[in-house]
Amino acid sequence: MRGLDKAIALFVAGVSRWVSSLGLLTGVALIALAFFTGWEVFNRGLLNHPTGWVVEVSGAMLVGIGFLASAYAMLENRHVRVDILFSHLGPRARAALDIVIALLILPFLAVLMWQGGHIALEAYRGGFRHWGDVGIPQWYTKIWVPIGGALILLIMVGKVRESILALVKGRRDSQSGEGRG
């Protein structure tokens, strides 16, 4: 069992590094999104000459940013949580609650990935495009739903592993739990 735990730990560490990099990428994309929006406001408001691409590209970017940032937020423990209850619990009770929460989130993630993947595949097969001058294929934006769900699921695997260690050994590794966020 020790070899399996080590393999899971290495896999989760790799995913965590990748999601951290994606967190940085979403920050850069958000800055670009703000610039595009400012450019559109300037062109539309002051020059009375709106661009034909900003609304469409910004909408597509926003979906990817939202789902990648959600995985990063999960990694860094920056997601919404009711700390009133959490702060009154001991380390083992917190670990047990983390496992229960993960089990409650799992069905939602499963449906999100399954249906999101199905919708993205249908958009790809149908050749559907967004309205606008650019005509971005719809699957470009829809694919972020199952990707984001899968990344959140992989991060949750690491969180559950840490919670199990906390329950069994009474400790958490430095890379998760209260150490991050």
Side-chain angles (χ1 to χ4, degrees):
M1 197 63 160
R2 202 166 259 196
L4 178 61
D5 181 52
K6 187 173 183 175
I8 291 171
L10 287 172
F11 177 74
V12 168
V15 169
S16 295
R17 281 192 299 278
W18 195 58
V19 170
S20 287
S21 298
L22 290 174
L24 178 64
L25 178 66
T26 59
V28 170
L30 196 56
I31 291 169
L33 181 65
F35 175 76
F36 294 158
T37 303
W39 180 254
E40 176 66 16
V41 168
F42 173 76
N43 278 317
R44 183 180 302 263
L46 296 178
L47 303 178
N48 199 25
H49 185 69
T51 63
W53 59 272
V54 170
V55 172
E56 188 177 356
V57 170
S58 296
M61 287 177 66
L62 194 56
V63 175
I65 288 169
F67 278 96
L68 293 179
S70 294
Y72 180 73
M74 178 67 81
L75 175 68
E76 296 291 329
N77 286 326
R78 304 273 183 174
H79 53 340
V80 175
R81 180 168 62 195
V82 182
D83 284 332
I84 295 169
L85 173 64
F86 228 69
S87 63
H88 289 66
L89 298 173
R92 287 192 171 169
R94 276 186 244 160
L97 185 58
D98 278 339
I99 293 170
V100 169
I101 290 169
L103 291 173
L104 291 173
I105 292 172
L106 187 60
F108 170 75
L109 283 176
V111 171
L112 186 74
M113 292 184 301
W114 172 47
Q115 288 298 309
H118 175 71
I119 290 169
L121 185 60
E122 289 300 312
Y124 176 77
R125 286 181 180 157
F128 303 132
R129 297 189 168 275
H130 289 285
W131 59 271
D133 292 344
V134 179
I136 296 172
Q138 285 186 8
W139 74 269
Y140 284 10
T141 55
K142 295 177 187 310
I143 196 68
W144 292 112
V145 175
I147 289 172
L151 290 173
I152 291 169
L153 178 65
L154 292 173
I155 295 301
M156 280 180 47
V157 167
K159 301 286 184 186
V160 167
R161 177 188 168 272
E162 292 299 322
S163 294
I164 291 170
L165 286 175
L167 280 173
V168 173
K169 299 178 181 178
R171 70 167 176 84
R172 286 186 183 260
D173 288 349
S174 61
Q175 292 267 314
S176 71
E178 284 106 87
R180 290 186 89 116

